[in-house]
Amino acid sequence: MDDRKLLETIRPLIGTAETADDCSMYKLPNGQILVASTDMLHETTDFPDGMTEFEMGWMSVAVTLSDIASTGASPAQVFVAVGLDRPERLVPFMEGAVCCAETYGAVVAGGDIDSHQELTAVTTAFGIVDSAVHCRRCGATVGDLVCITGIPGRAQAALDGRAEYRQFLLTPKPQVEAGIKIAKAGASSMMDVSDGVVISLYDIADASSVGIILDEASFPLFEESAYAKTCFLFGGGDFGLLFTASDAALEKLETEYTVIGRVVCGNSVRMGEEVLPRKGYAHVWEC
Amino acid sequence: MDDRKLLETIRPLIGTAETADDCSMYKLPNGQILVASTDMLHETTDFPDGMTEFEMGWMSVAVTLSDIASTGASPAQVFVAVGLDRPERLVPFMEGAVCCAETYGAVVAGGDIDSHQELTAVTTAFGIVDSAVHCRRCGATVGDLVCITGIPGRAQAALDGRAEYRQFLLTPKPQVEAGIKIAKAGASSMMDVSDGVVISLYDIADASSVGIILDEASFPLFEESAYAKTCFLFGGGDFGLLFTASDAALEKLETEYTVIGRVVCGNSVRMGEEVLPRKGYAHVWEC
């Protein structure tokens, strides 16, 4: 059982629309949309060994701001609930959390402090986006190009021991500015790739009722190797944005990105003729 | 070290205004205010023995909606992040969470699922309130009456083994409707009493730079006993609303409440001549 399967068990309770994106939506009276997201991280499974409290605080906020960024929204407020095994960890943790929030134009506006067996952090953030440019997972249209920002795979490589990429794992950078530009240019769908590129492409394909075909030769890899390609496709922890857009939209887009494929009819994610497995990062229970 | 003292260590980081209330504020373009709050609960310290998962889910949402209620806001969306030791606990937990949210007009709009050593839940909620009636802890004015809804103390009595009051402990009812009416009538300050009546009165007194004098004879007690009075003053877990209001505001107020004292000059909370100790519920670390 993993967290994606578990989510299926409560979809009827929460609603399909409410569980279809990383961010919720709430229509504001002036035609803007408030988007919000929440993420739970805890020490034994989410924070790599040797991380400082500052880095844990930064990462806790960054994962949620990355969700906000994937809608094209500007982050506004962040809430940080932290369960602490030792109270002296709070100040450096919150220094990292506040630093990350402020770097991306958000404010830590509240939180909760609890005692806990292990350091556990839940961040919730909301942001504001004009409804005309708001991006979701659905919306990808046959003929659109599939694009990605950054060089996914480096966080996975760092997890595997490649010290030169540790900064990408420990202090990931949510692509807030890129997300705003991509949405304004008129992308048809967007999400972040923190669970892995292929599994995120399946999320877009499922939500949009389309297939995706990837062009292997175009992948932005951190090095030319089969290992780097595997990290790119299936590694977790990176904060690139995956989006689909028409040629016309891409002409207006002024941010760095790589075209890695296109949207086709179907329901699978392929690389040439090969249907890629639906796998990426997941929380797993042994049962 | 307790969580209130620990909060002091990060006030310079977060800001005094941001840590002065249970809810944050965010001004919306139409003059309304978005209020939000987040709470972390976990099994070993927050959920009484014998609680069902449904009750845990209900309580997790209720504590946060109680914060929203204390501003006079209507709850809108709730986010539920849950760390699970056993995945089969998710469905009944979420049934309780959704039931509580829907009971008070809110929607569970998102969340996160994680594996964890013990069941840990963080709920974040936001609500909307007109800025003209938005209530905070500050605002209490000398001459105002001090009022409370409900009969605080029963949750503490249930914790002490009084089975007849268990419902008040296990499925507490956030006072959403009362909060809206109290704010609309023009209360000068409001907060919920989930940490205890006296400690909450100190929060209002501190934020408003006033003192409070209580009239012992007026307390709404669950029984006539010294024990019930202690539970009323210092017990935690109840969801009444504590508010201050002028006579003129109270004349307009159509909800049940009890006047328990008045706002005076000073900086203490007294019962007759006795200065009451600043104590209530707190998370404590042994250090």
Side-chain angles (χ1 to χ4, degrees):
Chain A
M1 179 73 93
D2 67 33
D3 54 346
R4 284 170 175 260
K5 288 195 189 113
L6 202 48
L7 176 60
E8 294 301 326
T9 67
I10 55 166
R11 264 195 217 283
L13 266 174
I14 313 290
T16 308
E18 284 73 12
T19 51
D21 282 280
D22 275 336
C23 283
S24 67
M25 292 183 291
Y26 183 80
K27 286 185 186 169
L28 295 175
N30 67 340
Q32 289 185 306
I33 290 175
L34 184 129
V35 296
S37 183
T38 193
D39 285 287
M40 175 179 277
L41 300 177
H42 59 121
E43 191 153 18
T44 45
T45 62
D46 294 297
F47 296 132
D49 285 345
M51 242 177 140
T52 65
E53 280 80 11
F54 183 96
E55 288 164 345
M56 293 178 192
W58 174 286
M59 180 187 274
S60 298
V61 170
V63 291
T64 304
L65 292 188
S66 183
D67 290 334
I68 301 294
S70 74
T71 67
S74 300
Q77 290 191 334
V78 184
F79 302 85
V80 182
V82 55
L84 293 160
D85 50 351
R86 289 178 285 121
E88 63 270 23
R89 305 182 80 178
L90 180 65
V91 170
F93 180 92
M94 288 307 301
E95 283 171 345
V98 168
C99 182
C100 182
E102 290 183 350
T103 299
Y104 298 99
V107 170
V108 174
D112 195 17
I113 307 167
D114 204 348
S115 53
H116 212 301
Q117 288 168 305
E118 63 167 316
L119 196 150
T120 302
V122 174
T123 56
T124 309
F126 73 84
I128 309 280
V129 60
D130 285 339
S131 57
V133 302
H134 174 228
C135 282
R136 303 183 60 184
R137 294 183 187 175
C138 58
T141 305
V142 173
D144 283 349
L145 294 169
V146 177
C147 311
I148 200 159
T149 68
I151 302 175
R154 292 180 291 194
Q156 183 64 51
L159 263 179
D160 295 343
R162 297 282 287 267
E164 67 269 39
Y165 299 127
R166 236 173 126 67
Q167 57 169 308
F168 299 102
L169 180 67
L170 300 188
T171 49
K173 312 263 183 296
Q175 301 291 300
V176 171
E177 202 180 333
I180 292 169
K181 287 179 176 173
I182 292 164
K184 279 191 176 157
S188 55
S189 74
M190 181 154 55
M191 72 178 290
D192 78 351
V193 298
S194 53
D195 286 349
V197 168
V198 172
I199 202 164
S200 302
L201 285 169
Y202 270 107
D203 286 332
I204 286 179
D206 291 350
S208 303
S209 302
V210 296
I212 284 168
I213 186 159
L214 297 176
D215 172 15
E216 191 175 352
S218 67
F219 295 167
L221 302 178
F222 60 82
E223 67 183 21
E224 282 303 322
S225 73
Y227 170 69
K229 194 175 292 176
T230 301
C231 288
F232 173 83
L233 291 169
F234 303 110
D238 283 289
F239 276 45
L241 292 172
L242 201 55
F243 61 101
T244 59
S246 65
D247 287 310
L250 288 179
E251 278 173 23
K252 287 187 282 180
L253 179 54
E254 290 180 0
T255 195
E256 284 186 32
Y257 64 91
T258 308
V259 176
I260 59 168
R262 60 196 162 83
V263 180
V264 295
C265 293
N267 55 17
S268 63
V269 177
R270 287 184 293 143
M271 193 166 68
E273 290 304 305
E274 179 191 358
V275 174
L276 294 170
R278 188 189 288 263
K279 74 174 192 189
Y281 178 80
H283 287 283
V284 175
W285 288 260
E286 288 172 7
C287 63
Chain B
M1 179 74 93
D2 67 33
D3 54 346
R4 283 171 175 259
K5 287 194 189 114
L6 203 47
L7 176 61
E8 293 301 327
T9 67
I10 56 166
R11 265 196 216 282
L13 267 174
I14 313 289
T16 307
E18 285 73 12
T19 50
D21 281 278
D22 276 335
C23 283
S24 67
M25 292 182 291
Y26 182 80
K27 285 185 187 170
L28 295 174
N30 66 342
Q32 289 185 307
I33 290 175
L34 184 128
V35 296
S37 182
T38 193
D39 285 287
M40 176 179 277
L41 300 177
H42 60 122
E43 192 155 15
T44 45
T45 61
D46 294 297
F47 296 132
D49 285 346
M51 242 178 141
T52 65
E53 280 80 11
F54 182 97
E55 288 163 346
M56 293 177 192
W58 174 286
M59 181 186 273
S60 297
V61 171
V63 291
T64 304
L65 292 188
S66 182
D67 290 335
I68 301 294
S70 74
T71 67
S74 300
Q77 291 191 333
V78 184
F79 302 85
V80 182
V82 55
L84 293 160
D85 49 352
R86 290 178 284 121
E88 64 270 23
R89 305 182 81 176
L90 180 65
V91 170
F93 181 92
M94 287 306 300
E95 283 171 346
V98 168
C99 181
C100 182
E102 291 183 349
T103 299
Y104 297 100
V107 169
V108 173
D112 195 16
I113 308 168
D114 203 348
S115 54
H116 213 300
Q117 289 170 304
E118 63 167 316
L119 198 150
T120 303
V122 174
T123 57
T124 309
F126 73 84
I128 308 281
V129 60
D130 287 338
S131 57
V133 302
H134 173 229
C135 282
R136 303 183 60 184
R137 294 182 187 176
C138 57
T141 306
V142 173
D144 283 349
L145 294 170
V146 176
C147 312
I148 199 159
T149 68
I151 302 174
R154 291 180 292 193
Q156 184 64 52
L159 264 178
D160 295 343
R162 297 283 289 265
E164 69 269 37
Y165 299 127
R166 235 170 128 69
Q167 58 168 309
F168 299 102
L169 179 66
L170 300 188
T171 49
K173 311 263 182 297
Q175 301 292 301
V176 171
E177 202 181 333
I180 292 169
K181 287 179 177 174
I182 291 164
K184 280 192 175 155
S188 54
S189 74
M190 181 155 53
M191 72 178 290
D192 79 350
V193 298
S194 53
D195 286 347
V197 168
V198 172
I199 202 165
S200 302
L201 286 169
Y202 269 107
D203 285 332
I204 286 179
D206 291 349
S208 303
S209 301
V210 296
I212 284 170
I213 186 159
L214 297 177
D215 172 16
E216 191 175 353
S218 68
F219 295 165
L221 302 179
F222 59 83
E223 65 182 23
E224 283 303 322
S225 72
Y227 170 70
K229 193 175 293 177
T230 301
C231 288
F232 173 84
L233 291 170
F234 303 111
D238 282 289
F239 276 45
L241 291 172
L242 201 54
F243 62 100
T244 58
S246 65
D247 287 310
L250 288 179
E251 277 173 25
K252 287 187 281 180
L253 178 56
E254 290 181 1
T255 195
E256 283 187 31
Y257 64 91
T258 308
V259 177
I260 60 168
R262 62 197 161 82
V263 179
V264 294
C265 293
N267 56 16
S268 63
V269 177
R270 286 183 294 145
M271 193 165 68
E273 290 303 306
E274 178 191 359
V275 174
L276 294 169
R278 187 189 289 263
K279 75 175 191 189
Y281 178 78
H283 288 282
V284 176
W285 289 262
E286 287 171 7
C287 62

